[in-house]
Amino acid sequence: MRFGKTLKQSIYEPWRDKYIDYGKLKSILREDRPDDEDEPWTEEDENRFCDEIFNTQLEKVAQFQEEKMQELRQRVDTAFEKLKELPPADSENKDKPTDEALAQRLKDLEAELDGITNEVKELQKYSSLNYTGFLKIVKKHDRKRGDQYKIRPIMQVSLSKRPFNSEQGYSPLLNKLSLMYFAIRQHLEDNAPAEPYLDPESQPETHNGEKYTAYKFWVHPDNLLEVKTYILRRLPTLVYSQQSAKEWDGDEDPTITSLYFDSPSFQMYNQKVDRETEASSLRLRWYGQLSQKPDIVLEQKIIHDNGTSEERKFPIKEKYIKPYLDGEYKMEKSIQKMERQGQSTADVDEFRSTANAIQDYIRSNKLQPVIRANYVRTAFQKPGDDRIRVSIDTDIAFIREDTLDRDRPCRDPQNWHRTDIDDSNMTYPFKNINQSEVSRFPYAVLEIKLKEDQNRKRPIWVTDLMASHLVHPCPRFSKFMHGVASLFEDYVNRLPFWLPDLDTDIRKDPQTAFEEEEAKRANRAQNEQVVGSFLGTKLGNSFKPSRSSPVAKSYLAERVAAESSGAVKPQTPVSGATDRTPAGEPLASDGSQLQQNAGQQQNGGRGGDYGTMSLSSVFPGFSLSKYSKAMRLKRAQREGGGGGGRRGSVTLPPGVEEPTEWLKNSGPLQIEPKVWLANERTFLRWQHICVLLGGLAISLYTAAGRDTVAEWIAIGFILTAAFAGGWGYFLLHSRRRMIIERSGKDFDNFLGPLVVSVALMVALILNFSFAYRDFLARPEIGTEVEALFEQTAGHVDLR
């Protein structure tokens, strides 16, 4: 279907005038006049087209999307305020509404959320349609006018600067909506099981009856080695064996090939892009080269209405794949083999049911292989422990496997795979095929799967990795969707949301990424706390910012200032708060780990406060102002020598001794040779200056004779040379002592160079001034000057 027709059918009527005017752009491009090829395309025509698409259409779409997103944020915040106004589950307020009144208010709020959610879905479709429209029209332009002008790269840069088709803008909004729906559902459906709250940025999956939560990220090649080594410290690599399905047996990571199916109209792709319920994907997958006769598995993945996914799969031999796809073979021999092996009737019936269901699905939807994904997978998992499963896919390549072009099909229609690739054992980067049929993904794909377990917290190292600058989050990333979007752009009219990120640099500054993640976690914890208070349960994990977090720093500064002025009001402690930091370290006895919850962190005031946690709220007698005064006093005593730096006011637990040295000073002394050589090289430079100045001073003193000025200047040079030699000797031993003691002080010392420079400057100035004065005092100088003046005046015509 042409994009223009798809655009007309997908327009949301209230926003009709806000879409890209695709017909007008085609008219300017003369797409509606295919026979008028004799009229030349001038620079004026090009300027008119570029002005319309960049300055009018693109600005119109980007501005409307931003305004609508801001409006939806305000509506969501208003609905969230209504939820906050409802009394908590354990409240004893006399004005608390009855159950019927509360249920009605919640139903009204749910209806309001339904309206907001529908508009969010329409805005996502709006963004995706317009993004596709801009890429489609510039592709038409470059195809028709590309001999003179190419504007697709410029359009990609412009779209990356206006990320209206990015999932990052929708994630906070969807998270807040999901939280409110969760609270309403748990309160209204009394008989419903208390299901855990699901993060919209994650993807629930089911493997072998076990429920997992999957998170997907992109990893830049510059960060790939660091990510792998970070994971290797916590999880061993998973070694594939012949006994576990003949997947791989070797030292290198296995190469995986996934052959995806779809209809000629790309029905399955469109369902996944639009996130329709019961959307499905189908693939054949094997490890290694097909010539090695690996086990081939046919897999169907179904995404249900509640967001969870289900897998159906069974092994199939290569010789039976084509008859099975054509409906001529129904896995009878595999079923007979299972019966001969004595497997249970339930297993046999389940295998038969799965094979028949997938075959019917293939035949009814007219599915055929359309694309191949080839990649190298590195897996990490503890043996016998599948609670954490991590995989990294590299060298990802997508290859066309379709027969859409009947004249030049990529694959032989009489076969189910491309024999030119598999018979020749072709590998990445697949240079021996038509390069227009292959697309190479520039990043690695990291997937983390965590088994759902309410009694076990997520490991801290996983949280740190997911929040680090080393990874770029890309929820719901799909190799199938990306391969189709990159190789079949002319056949599809919807593109996935992550495509704009390919035109940007996903590498991040570590500090910026850390601050953004801290603010994001604080905001999420704030929302979860409100919903948990309303339900009377703890929702999510207690959030405590790191010591280096800007959230924690700003909180301490504001609270010290507030308590010093007596402006701090009593706060309500957060339920479920712990006395441990995010890194698992206990709070220090001097209070240096004081933290607070997300309500105060984001807003810093009462407007966004849902209850804060601090020592002063639990112990009214404790005040940060008192704490700060005590710490200042102890610091002054330590700097003045009082107490010798010992914390005499702190009582250590039994069996704990006060350390006698810093942790950095423990262990054997290991000094690199270049450190010693650098210190010695500096000493030799100073001795060189000493010898140079000393030689100059001796020469000057010897040649001075009875010249008193020269003698004093020479003596000054001698003193300066002696100082340079002594200063170099002093630096050699002082820096040697600092190196041995592993001191944290700076090695810079500008006193010596300053003294030598000033002494030389003074000596040279005095020498010049005295010599000049003596020169002018000589009597023959005055006579010579007068004679020269008379001689010059005699040649000058005074007229």
Side-chain angles (χ1 to χ4, degrees):
M1 183 184 298
R2 294 184 176 273
F3 178 76
K5 186 175 181 180
T6 302
L7 180 62
K8 291 180 180 179
Q9 294 178 355
S10 305
I11 282 180
Y12 184 52
E13 284 300 326
W15 305 342
R16 172 172 288 276
D17 298 335
K18 305 299 182 181
Y19 286 80
I20 179 177
D21 196 341
Y22 196 72
K24 183 178 181 179
L25 292 173
K26 287 181 62 178
S27 177
I28 298 176
L29 197 57
R30 301 177 189 171
E31 279 288 313
D32 54 347
R33 292 178 289 171
D35 299 333
D36 191 8
E37 296 292 341
D38 296 333
E39 184 178 354
W41 180 262
T42 63
E43 186 175 353
E44 182 180 355
D45 296 328
E46 182 68 19
N47 292 335
R48 181 188 173 196
F49 178 81
C50 291
D51 180 71
E52 179 66 26
I53 190 172
F54 288 106
N55 300 331
T56 303
Q57 299 297 328
L58 183 57
E59 291 298 329
K60 176 184 69 174
V61 171
Q63 182 178 359
F64 174 77
Q65 198 272 345
E66 179 61 28
E67 293 175 353
K68 201 65 185 178
M69 178 61 73
Q70 186 64 28
E71 176 188 339
L72 289 173
R73 291 195 189 102
Q74 293 177 357
R75 292 175 62 183
V76 170
D77 291 340
T78 302
F80 199 72
E81 290 296 327
K82 293 181 180 179
L83 183 65
K84 286 168 55 179
E85 293 173 358
L86 297 177
D90 54 353
S91 175
E92 298 180 359
N93 189 359
K94 296 180 180 179
D95 298 332
K96 182 177 180 180
T98 61
D99 293 342
E100 293 79 6
L102 181 60
Q104 185 60 41
R105 292 174 64 177
L106 289 175
K107 290 180 180 178
D108 296 340
L109 182 59
E110 184 179 17
E112 185 177 350
L113 294 181
D114 289 340
I116 297 175
T117 304
N118 291 334
E119 285 213 4
V120 171
K121 292 180 180 179
E122 292 296 337
L123 187 60
Q124 285 182 316
K125 293 180 181 179
Y126 169 88
S127 303
S128 177
L129 271 175
N130 285 282
Y131 177 82
T132 306
F134 285 118
L135 292 183
K136 290 277 188 181
I137 196 65
V138 297
K139 187 173 183 179
K140 288 180 179 292
H141 170 277
D142 290 358
R143 184 183 300 163
K144 193 170 185 178
R145 312 297 178 187
D147 54 341
Q148 298 179 0
Y149 311 96
K150 286 186 180 296
I151 64 173
R152 184 181 176 92
I154 303 176
M155 174 57 70
Q156 290 176 335
V157 173
S158 300
L159 290 174
S160 64
K161 293 181 179 179
R162 302 169 179 83
F164 55 82
N165 188 38
S166 174
E167 183 75 8
Q168 303 300 324
Y170 292 95
S171 294
L173 199 65
L174 295 175
N175 183 271
K176 215 165 191 177
L177 285 171
S178 179
L179 269 171
M180 287 189 284
Y181 271 119
F182 176 79
I184 295 173
R185 191 182 308 113
Q186 293 293 323
H187 196 282
L188 293 180
E189 300 176 3
D190 295 334
N191 297 327
E195 297 181 356
Y197 165 68
L198 299 177
D199 187 353
E201 297 184 5
S202 63
Q203 184 174 347
E205 295 183 358
T206 303
H207 298 279
N208 300 325
E210 299 286 349
K211 294 183 178 180
Y212 290 85
T213 304
Y215 301 87
K216 295 183 179 180
F217 305 88
W218 291 352
V219 182
H220 194 277
D222 293 350
N223 300 328
L224 182 58
L225 181 60
E226 187 173 356
V227 171
K228 284 187 175 181
T229 54
Y230 180 85
I231 299 173
L232 276 173
R233 295 189 185 101
R234 282 86 183 177
L235 292 178
T237 55
L238 181 64
V239 180
Y240 297 89
S241 63
Q242 295 287 346
Q243 290 79 11
S244 62
K246 296 182 181 180
E247 290 172 341
W248 191 252
D249 189 11
D251 297 331
E252 298 181 355
D253 295 324
T255 300
I256 301 178
T257 302
S258 296
L259 196 63
Y260 291 97
F261 290 72
D262 207 338
S263 63
S265 60
F266 292 94
Q267 176 185 354
M268 300 177 68
Y269 169 83
N270 292 326
Q271 290 177 351
K272 291 182 71 66
V273 171
D274 295 337
R275 299 182 186 176
E276 297 182 5
T277 58
E278 304 302 322
S280 178
S281 62
L282 186 69
R283 67 180 178 183
L284 286 164
R285 186 172 69 163
W286 64 89
Y287 291 74
Q289 296 294 339
L290 197 61
S291 59
Q292 299 174 350
K293 304 298 180 181
D295 284 350
I296 303 175
V297 180
L298 182 60
E299 302 176 345
Q300 182 185 16
K301 190 173 183 178
I302 305 173
I303 300 178
H304 297 296
D305 189 15
N306 58 356
T308 60
S309 64
E310 176 188 359
E311 276 190 353
R312 300 174 181 173
K313 60 182 180 180
F314 64 91
I316 183 172
K317 292 185 178 181
E318 180 182 353
K319 60 181 179 181
Y320 295 137
I321 294 179
K322 181 62 177 175
Y324 176 83
L325 298 178
D326 294 338
E328 301 171 357
Y329 175 67
K330 295 186 176 298
M331 305 299 296
E332 295 92 347
K333 293 186 178 181
S334 298
I335 294 175
Q336 294 173 2
K337 182 178 179 181
M338 294 177 64
E339 292 175 346
R340 289 196 304 269
Q341 292 176 347
Q343 298 190 23
S344 63
T345 305
D347 294 340
V348 174
D349 293 341
E350 182 181 359
F351 180 88
R352 181 187 293 107
S353 175
T354 301
N356 293 337
I358 294 179
Q359 188 177 54
D360 294 341
Y361 184 80
I362 295 174
R363 302 297 297 167
S364 61
N365 292 279
K366 300 180 180 179
L367 303 181
Q368 56 179 290
V370 295
I371 193 170
R372 171 190 300 229
N374 185 273
Y375 48 94
V376 177
R377 168 160 293 182
T378 306
F380 305 89
Q381 181 181 330
K382 290 182 180 180
D385 186 357
D386 59 352
R387 291 177 296 180
I388 303 177
R389 304 169 63 181
V390 181
S391 64
I392 300 179
D393 297 337
T394 55
D395 296 343
I396 304 175
F398 303 99
I399 305 172
R400 290 185 58 167
E401 201 96 7
D402 61 282
T403 59
L404 298 177
D405 188 348
R406 298 297 181 183
D407 297 330
R408 292 176 298 178
C410 299
R411 166 181 54 84
D412 183 3
Q414 302 302 320
N415 210 329
W416 61 273
H417 67 106
R418 290 186 62 161
T419 56
D420 58 333
I421 296 177
D422 294 324
D423 292 350
S424 61
N425 293 333
M426 197 180 302
T427 58
Y428 186 89
F430 300 98
K431 295 183 178 180
N432 297 332
I433 61 175
N434 190 342
Q435 293 303 293
S436 63
E437 300 174 357
V438 60
S439 173
R440 301 171 186 89
F441 192 67
Y443 306 124
V445 177
L446 168 68
E447 184 174 10
I448 302 175
K449 294 182 180 180
L450 304 174
K451 183 180 290 187
E452 295 182 3
D453 188 356
Q454 297 300 310
N455 299 324
R456 184 176 182 269
K457 294 183 179 180
R458 178 187 302 173
I460 296 175
W461 70 268
V462 175
T463 303
D464 291 342
L465 176 61
M466 294 168 59
S468 70
H469 68 285
L470 301 174
V471 297
H472 176 75
C474 191
R476 291 181 292 276
F477 174 78
S478 168
K479 295 185 181 70
F480 167 62
M481 292 170 58
H482 185 85
V484 172
S486 58
L487 292 175
F488 296 93
E489 188 176 339
D490 294 337
Y491 294 86
V492 297
N493 296 325
R494 298 283 180 85
L495 298 177
F497 64 85
W498 58 76
L499 281 186
D501 293 341
L502 291 177
D503 301 322
T504 60
D505 190 354
I506 65 172
R507 290 171 293 185
K508 308 173 187 176
D509 176 70
Q511 181 63 24
T512 303
F514 172 74
E515 294 177 358
E516 292 177 353
E517 183 62 25
E518 286 288 300
K520 181 179 177 181
R521 291 175 57 205
N523 188 36
R524 180 176 299 178
Q526 173 183 350
N527 298 334
E528 292 178 353
Q529 182 181 348
V530 174
V531 175
S533 176
F534 172 71
L535 295 175
T537 59
K538 178 184 175 182
L539 185 64
N541 297 324
S542 300
F543 169 72
K544 293 180 181 294
S546 303
R547 278 176 287 182
S548 56
S549 168
V551 177
K553 292 179 180 178
S554 62
Y555 165 70
L556 283 174
E558 293 174 3
R559 189 160 182 83
V560 168
E563 290 202 354
S564 298
S565 60
V568 176
K569 299 180 180 180
Q571 304 291 342
T572 303
V574 179
S575 61
T578 64
D579 59 346
R580 300 187 71 83
T581 66
E585 299 175 356
L587 292 174
S589 58
D590 60 359
S592 62
Q593 290 282 353
L594 280 176
Q595 309 289 351
Q596 61 106 32
N597 77 325
Q600 188 78 11
Q601 296 151 2
Q602 277 298 97
N603 301 292
R606 193 169 179 79
D609 190 355
Y610 306 137
T612 56
M613 176 63 186
S614 65
L615 289 180
S616 60
S617 62
V618 180
F619 306 103
F622 182 87
S623 171
L624 276 177
S625 59
K626 299 177 182 179
Y627 160 75
S628 60
K629 292 178 182 177
M631 292 304 297
R632 285 197 298 268
L633 179 60
K634 293 172 66 176
R635 188 182 302 111
Q637 294 175 351
R638 185 162 54 249
E639 292 177 355
R646 299 176 62 87
R647 293 187 282 181
S649 60
V650 177
T651 303
L652 297 177
V656 178
E657 297 181 358
E658 184 175 2
T660 57
E661 63 177 349
W662 296 96
L663 287 177
K664 66 183 183 65
N665 295 337
S666 61
L669 179 64
Q670 296 180 354
I671 302 175
E672 296 184 7
K674 65 180 182 180
V675 178
W676 286 104
L677 295 177
N679 190 26
E680 293 181 359
R681 185 166 56 249
T682 304
F683 170 73
L684 295 177
R685 288 297 179 92
W686 277 107
Q687 300 311 306
H688 175 73
I689 294 175
C690 175
V691 172
L692 185 64
L693 291 177
L696 178 62
I698 295 300
S699 300
L700 184 61
Y701 188 83
T702 303
R706 295 184 179 182
D707 191 348
T708 307
V709 175
E711 289 181 355
W712 282 107
I713 296 298
I715 293 173
F717 277 117
I718 291 175
L719 295 177
T720 305
F723 174 81
W727 180 259
Y729 184 80
F730 166 75
L731 280 186
L732 174 67
H733 288 275
S734 63
R735 290 181 176 176
R736 180 179 182 275
R737 184 175 60 256
M738 293 171 65
I739 294 173
I740 294 176
E741 294 177 354
R742 291 182 272 205
S743 173
K745 299 179 181 179
D746 293 333
F747 282 76
D748 301 337
N749 200 326
F750 61 89
L751 178 61
L754 184 63
V755 171
V756 173
S757 300
V758 171
L760 291 177
M761 186 181 300
V762 171
L764 291 175
I765 292 174
L766 291 176
N767 187 26
F768 175 79
S769 62
F770 291 143
Y772 184 73
R773 186 190 63 180
D774 293 344
F775 174 77
L776 294 178
R778 292 167 57 184
E780 61 273 13
I781 296 300
T783 305
E784 293 177 359
V785 170
E786 291 179 358
L788 181 62
F789 177 76
E790 292 176 357
Q791 185 180 1
T792 305
H795 292 82
V796 176
D797 188 358
L798 298 180
R799 293 178 299 175

